[in-house]
Amino acid sequence: MDPTALTRLVHQDCGSCHGLTLKGGLGPDIRPETIDHYDPEVLQSVILDGIPDTAMPPWRPLITEAEAAWIADYLLKGDTE
């Protein structure tokens, strides 16, 4: 697992819909203060399987479950570096 590559994926690929600063766009705001009510497992499931009938695609074909868990944790904690 490459945290640098996953961080880039979040800000570029996820950011293409959620905004480059993750404050929202086509997709909702996904900064820690707006998603802190979600369990990490729920976010991981959304990342992996998408949300039917919305613009949120499934990422399962492109990333592993461990990578999705890392992304969910990163979204909940924010960029702490």
Side-chain angles (χ1 to χ4, degrees):
M1 196 163 16
D2 181 352
T4 301
L6 290 173
T7 301
R8 190 175 324 115
L9 179 130
V10 168
H11 288 278
Q12 292 180 356
D13 292 283
C14 301
S16 67
C17 287
H18 293 280
L20 295 177
T21 59
L22 308 179
K23 292 180 181 179
L26 173 63
D29 185 330
I30 56 172
R31 294 174 297 155
E33 60 269 23
T34 62
I35 63 169
D36 62 354
H37 58 284
Y38 284 102
D39 290 325
E41 295 81 16
V42 170
L43 289 178
Q44 180 181 354
S45 177
V46 168
I47 293 163
L48 287 170
D49 300 320
I51 301 174
D53 301 319
T54 72
M56 180 62 194
W59 286 89
R60 189 177 293 276
L62 302 171
I63 64 173
T64 67
E65 288 189 17
E67 289 169 329
W70 187 95
I71 291 169
D73 187 59
Y74 175 81
L75 290 173
L76 287 168
K77 291 181 180 174
D79 193 357
T80 58
E81 295 181 10

